[in-house]
Amino acid sequence: MGQEESFFSSKIGEKIWGHRFKDGQRGPEYTLEFLNVLVGTNFSLEKKYYHRRKMIEFRQFVYEGEKEGSKGHIATFEDDKKSVIKEKLGINDKQFEDLQTFFKNLTIPLTTPMGKPVDRSWYAQMMYPLHESLLFSEVRVKRDNGKEINYSISYERNFFARGGELYFLMIHYGTLNNSNLRKSIEENLKRLLSTSSGLITVINQINEAFEEYSVSSTELPAPLFEEANLEELFKGKEIAEYPKLPQTDLPIYEDFAQELDSLLKLKIDVYEMFDILTSLITFQLHRYMIHQAEQIVQEKTHYFIDCFEGQNKSIKFLAQDSYRIHEAVVSEAYKTFVEKRVEEVFPEDKAEEQIRTWILNRDRSKNTKVEGYSSFFEELNLKGLHAPKKKKLIEALEAPDMEKAKKMLKLRIVELYMEDLSKSQLPIMKTLARDGQFIISGKGSKARYVLHDNILSALVYATLDGEVTLPYDDFLNRLYEKYQIIIGENAAKVSGLYSKEGINLSHFRSNEKKMRQKLKQNGLLQEYSDATALIRNPYFG
């Protein structure tokens, strides 16, 4: 799809859930960008700007010899720089290589749905944030006319595509009226990212050898909130676009902040915490996208979880259907906005006049009809469409019957953007769910909701919210009340799922038992008898 078409579709997404989410962005990258923003504000959830760091030379040191894809820019760390590092740290060649290997092993692994490593250029790879000094922004190498000799490295917003910034804003708005909650999140995140004192010493010594580590006094921070005249003030500057949220007062933001705080209060090592935090954040963003879509189509949905690993056909079907319904709700919300937008640019009362004008103004000197209708495509903001799609629109435009022309043209414009939905919008939901570990989706099989270890831990910690134990039945009830998660008999009845589907209650009871077993295996549940089991937080005594 062309630039104009993508611009149109991203604007629709913005109206539903924010400035834009990006289908290429992976779960860990949402977490990393959020942490980057927070560190860039010096751990303040109320600041309006944040600083970014490129840390180019540090990355070249870590990923020396790696390419940008198969034939791109190679990460180079010159011998004179190596000498500086060796002298600074007092190490020999072998120790230097060991240090490179240590940091390279901190790279966060990203895999495709088929389990293969994601191909990320050396400058787009990120490391586990064992300390805040290992957080840096994504960059891109720009070559001069494709030549390696002259190149520049600038900030990039491809994989770090505002998702983490939007999450920062959600937590900002979710703590506006609760200063204690805000302070708790800030302090616990600072503690989490500031504990590896030995690591920071080494990183600082490496970075201090190079000027680019320091944030220049002339470098403007990236804006997070819209202010008067910001567009003029920062015109032409190399800074991030500031994101927007359609609504800033949603109660769900307060829920997110509370859940995040519950997790951060636990004294969990940052290495283990990162994956659990990623599961929580991706699940929250997934809920947010569905929440916004539900408000548009006025439909209430739920997450039905398959605890049987696909072995029970009835349970598997319900988990698949739950995912399908979520996709359908998002699709319907997207379609509603598309049709509204098409009506704005192509209103019914002016459609006939517009069609006649477009045909009349066609430049017949052009070689093809497509070229001749440039003003038509420009007016509809569709200049970037591929020729075959343009021809379909022209066919509708030139239909002999005016009523048919109006109907066909609107229909085909809507189809264009609904096609974009399946290509770039719905994959975002699937990526969030897959990287958050709450769906199973493979080639040739329908996606269905599950709860793997990290998301299970995140939900237990967020649901307990400081409590040491909780009866298992109460835990299941809270999962439904807080997250619309259905596992067992009671939630199936309360939600209406049981009466709607007519599946035997024994299936729900068996699903509930499977969840109980999984929690026990993960050290999150303690059984006292068949009738008594307590969800427990292993980090409390």
Side-chain angles (χ1 to χ4, degrees):
M1 292 203 174
Q3 184 179 358
E4 288 78 8
E5 189 177 358
S6 297
F7 173 80
F8 182 92
S9 62
S10 69
K11 287 294 183 183
I12 294 168
E14 175 187 329
K15 298 293 185 185
I16 302 173
W17 41 70
H19 198 297
R20 77 177 169 121
F21 288 107
K22 183 84 173 176
D23 60 328
Q25 191 173 20
R26 301 300 302 272
E29 289 164 335
Y30 286 97
T31 305
L32 285 168
E33 189 181 35
F34 166 63
L35 296 177
N36 263 289
V37 174
L38 199 75
V39 169
T41 64
N42 196 25
F43 296 96
S44 170
L45 282 167
E46 58 183 299
K47 287 188 179 177
K48 295 186 177 181
Y49 306 96
Y50 74 99
H51 290 277
R52 297 174 298 182
R53 289 186 308 205
K54 291 181 181 178
M55 288 178 65
I56 302 301
E57 288 166 312
F58 177 79
R59 285 191 262 193
Q60 288 172 329
F61 156 68
V62 175
Y63 297 109
E64 182 186 12
E66 288 202 12
K67 291 184 177 181
E68 172 197 343
S70 58
K71 56 182 179 180
H73 181 270
I74 299 174
T76 305
F77 197 69
E78 294 84 358
D79 288 341
D80 59 336
K81 293 181 181 179
K82 292 180 183 179
S83 298
V84 171
I85 298 300
K86 290 174 192 174
E87 184 178 344
K88 190 93 175 171
L89 297 177
I91 57 177
N92 57 34
D93 291 349
K94 175 66 167 60
Q95 290 168 324
F96 179 89
E97 291 174 4
D98 289 344
L99 196 58
Q100 281 182 311
T101 302
F102 169 78
F103 282 113
K104 193 170 182 178
N105 286 340
L106 291 180
T107 302
I108 295 173
L110 300 175
T111 57
T112 66
M114 304 308 294
K116 295 181 180 179
V118 172
D119 185 17
R120 284 279 197 269
S121 305
W122 65 265
Y123 48 79
Q125 295 189 59
M126 299 292 156
M127 302 177 202
Y128 280 102
L130 300 189
H131 188 274
E132 62 177 278
S133 57
L134 281 175
L135 287 163
F136 38 77
S137 296
E138 186 188 350
V139 293
R140 173 176 291 254
V141 173
K142 294 185 178 180
R143 283 169 288 282
D144 182 15
N145 296 323
K147 295 179 180 179
E148 278 292 303
I149 301 172
N150 299 314
Y151 68 88
S152 62
I153 299 178
S154 58
Y155 287 110
E156 171 60 30
R157 302 186 56 73
N158 188 12
F159 306 122
F160 275 23
R162 304 178 182 88
E165 288 180 341
L166 287 174
Y167 184 70
F168 178 92
L169 292 178
M170 292 174 193
I171 303 303
H172 163 83
Y173 291 120
T175 57
L176 268 180
N177 301 316
N178 192 333
S179 59
N180 289 334
L181 178 61
R182 173 171 286 187
K183 185 178 179 182
S184 177
I185 292 173
E186 292 170 343
E187 290 180 349
N188 282 308
L189 276 167
K190 187 168 186 175
R191 171 190 53 77
L192 184 71
L193 298 173
S194 308
T195 53
S196 301
S197 57
L199 186 65
I200 179 59
T201 301
V202 175
I203 296 171
N204 279 347
Q205 285 180 319
I206 294 172
N207 281 320
E208 284 167 8
F210 310 108
E211 292 182 6
E212 69 97 16
Y213 177 68
S214 309
V215 177
S216 167
S217 59
T218 60
E219 183 182 356
L220 290 170
L224 273 175
F225 305 107
E226 184 172 9
E227 278 191 345
N229 299 321
L230 268 185
E231 294 92 338
E232 284 298 318
L233 182 62
F234 296 115
K235 188 176 286 183
K237 302 294 182 182
E238 192 184 65
I239 59 168
E241 281 184 48
Y242 48 93
K244 305 171 186 175
L245 287 171
Q247 295 164 274
T248 60
D249 57 352
L250 294 179
I252 197 172
Y253 299 153
E254 297 176 33
D255 295 339
F256 289 173
Q258 290 284 359
E259 293 159 18
L260 177 63
D261 185 55
S262 298
L263 178 57
L264 294 174
K265 282 177 181 175
L266 304 176
K267 302 301 186 286
I268 302 178
D269 174 79
V270 64
Y271 192 83
E272 181 184 352
M273 175 67 87
F274 183 83
D275 292 331
I276 298 174
L277 184 59
T278 294
S279 282
L280 178 66
I281 289 174
T282 51
F283 182 54
Q284 289 176 331
L285 292 175
H286 196 271
R287 283 157 57 202
Y288 167 71
M289 293 182 75
I290 291 168
H291 174 275
Q292 292 300 88
E294 284 178 340
Q295 304 313 300
I296 296 166
V297 301
Q298 294 297 297
E299 184 173 339
K300 188 174 175 61
T301 64
H302 59 254
Y303 292 86
F304 184 85
I305 307 298
D306 176 8
C307 302
F308 269 96
E309 299 182 1
Q311 299 304 305
N312 182 308
K313 288 185 179 179
S314 297
I315 294 297
K316 182 179 180 180
F317 166 76
L318 289 177
Q320 289 174 338
D321 198 49
S322 180
Y323 187 85
R324 180 195 62 77
I325 289 170
H326 278 158
E327 283 201 331
V329 166
V330 170
S331 297
E332 187 61 32
Y334 196 83
K335 185 179 180 183
T336 299
F337 268 92
V338 169
E339 290 174 340
K340 182 180 178 183
R341 175 60 180 149
V342 170
E343 189 58 37
E344 287 172 1
V345 298
F346 193 42
E348 181 63 34
D349 58 343
K350 296 182 180 178
E352 187 171 332
E353 181 186 344
Q354 279 183 304
I355 289 174
R356 294 188 191 282
T357 301
W358 283 326
I359 294 175
L360 186 65
N361 291 341
R362 179 191 158 200
D363 187 346
R364 301 180 189 279
S365 66
K366 299 292 183 182
N367 292 331
T368 67
K369 283 186 178 182
V370 168
E371 292 174 338
Y373 277 112
S374 59
S375 62
F376 162 67
F377 293 111
E378 192 169 328
E379 212 170 310
L380 287 180
N381 205 20
L382 292 171
K383 288 191 298 180
L385 273 181
H386 295 308
K389 292 180 179 180
K390 284 184 174 180
K391 286 179 181 177
K392 281 193 171 185
L393 290 178
I394 292 170
E395 286 173 7
L397 184 67
E398 294 185 340
D401 179 82
M402 181 56 72
E403 286 304 311
K404 186 177 181 180
K406 287 193 294 184
K407 185 177 179 180
M408 287 273 294
L409 196 54
K410 283 191 178 185
L411 181 63
R412 289 190 175 175
I413 293 172
V414 170
E415 283 175 351
L416 278 175
Y417 294 108
M418 292 309 292
E419 180 183 327
D420 181 65
L421 167 78
S422 63
K423 286 183 177 180
S424 66
Q425 301 296 314
L426 292 180
I428 297 169
M429 290 180 59
K430 187 165 281 188
T431 297
L432 285 169
R434 186 185 296 120
D435 289 351
Q437 296 194 346
F438 52 96
I439 66 161
I440 285 180
S441 171
K443 194 173 183 180
S445 62
K446 296 177 182 177
R448 70 181 189 277
Y449 286 121
V450 296
L451 291 179
H452 288 315
D453 294 350
N454 286 329
I455 184 63
L456 195 59
S457 295
L459 289 175
V460 166
Y461 303 146
T463 303
L464 282 174
D465 192 19
E467 295 174 79
V468 180
T469 60
L470 182 71
Y472 179 55
D473 289 343
D474 291 349
F475 173 69
L476 293 182
N477 290 337
R478 284 193 193 179
L479 286 184
Y480 178 68
E481 291 165 5
K482 287 170 69 71
Y483 316 113
Q484 288 72 57
I485 288 176
I486 300 175
I487 290 171
E489 177 182 348
N490 188 57
K493 288 179 177 178
V494 172
S495 66
L497 181 66
Y498 167 63
S499 58
K500 177 185 174 185
E501 297 294 341
I503 292 174
N504 194 297
L505 277 176
S506 63
H507 292 294
F508 296 110
R509 295 188 192 116
S510 298
N511 199 45
E512 197 173 302
K513 286 180 182 177
K514 284 289 184 182
M515 172 57 73
R516 181 164 157 163
Q517 291 171 14
K518 188 171 182 63
L519 287 162
K520 185 178 179 181
Q521 290 166 2
N522 281 271
L524 299 169
L525 178 140
Q526 191 167 352
E527 287 184 327
Y528 295 93
S529 67
D530 288 344
T532 306
L534 293 178
I535 296 292
R536 61 181 295 272
N537 188 332
Y539 291 95
F540 283 103

